[in-house]
Amino acid sequence: QVQLVESGGGSVQTGGSLRLSCTASTSTRNCMGWFRQAPGKGREGLAVIFTRRGDAMYADSVEGRFTISQDNAKSTVYLQMNSLKPEDTAMYYCASEPPSGDGYCFPVVSAYTVWGQGTQVTVSS
C-alpha cells in the first residue's frame, strides 16, 4: 500500500503563502487530494488531482487561492496556498485513492482510504 508523507506546513501571517508537499512512496496514477481539519470541525476536502491526466477539482472555499499541482517524476503533489486567512488554520492531510469508475476524482473525504500523517498550518491575524 502506498504511503504518503506531507511537509511544508508552518506559521504565517494573514495574506501570506505556503506550499505543502505530499510525496508518495511509490508512483501512482491515482487521485491525490488535499484535505484539512480544524479543531472541533470535520475533515474538509480542498483540492484533488488525477495524476494520470493532471486535471484538478477544487472546493469553492479555496478556488482562486489554492492551486494543486504534481511532479510525477518525484511522485509528489503540491498545494500552493496564497492569501491565507486565519480560518485556514488547520491540520492539512494528503490522501490517495484510485479514481471513480468513470475516471474522475472528487474532494470527498469518504472516497479516500490512504492518508498521510498531516502537517499543521497556522495563520495569525
Side-chain angles (χ1 to χ4, degrees):
Q1 175 170 299
V2 64
Q3 294 182 327
L4 306 173
V5 178
E6 303 98 330
S7 61
S11 297
V12 297
Q13 292 188 327
T14 297
S17 297
L18 283 173
R19 188 178 79 157
L20 306 182
S21 299
C22 171
T23 300
S25 57
T26 60
S27 177
T28 73
R29 290 297 181 261
N30 284 352
C31 302
M32 290 190 71
W34 285 100
F35 302 78
R36 69 184 177 190
Q37 187 163 15
K41 296 188 177 181
R43 195 165 294 191
E44 172 190 15
L46 303 176
V48 296
I49 190 166
F50 185 16
T51 57
R52 195 177 73 176
R53 289 197 304 259
D55 49 326
M57 181 178 290
Y58 296 89
D60 291 344
S61 59
V62 301
E63 189 155 19
R65 294 194 300 129
F66 291 8
T67 303
I68 190 169
S69 62
Q70 63 184 27
D71 184 336
N72 285 342
K74 297 181 180 179
S75 300
T76 298
V77 172
Y78 304 97
L79 186 68
Q80 177 67 43
M81 306 187 295
N82 298 327
S83 302
L84 284 164
K85 309 173 184 179
E87 51 264 44
D88 294 317
T89 295
M91 185 71 79
Y92 283 69
Y93 297 91
C94 176
S96 177
E97 193 69 22
S100 64
D102 53 1
Y104 290 94
C105 304
F106 300 95
V108 176
V109 173
S110 59
Y112 292 78
T113 59
V114 178
W115 294 85
Q117 83 288 351
T119 185
Q120 178 68 36
V121 171
T122 302
V123 185
S124 58
S125 57

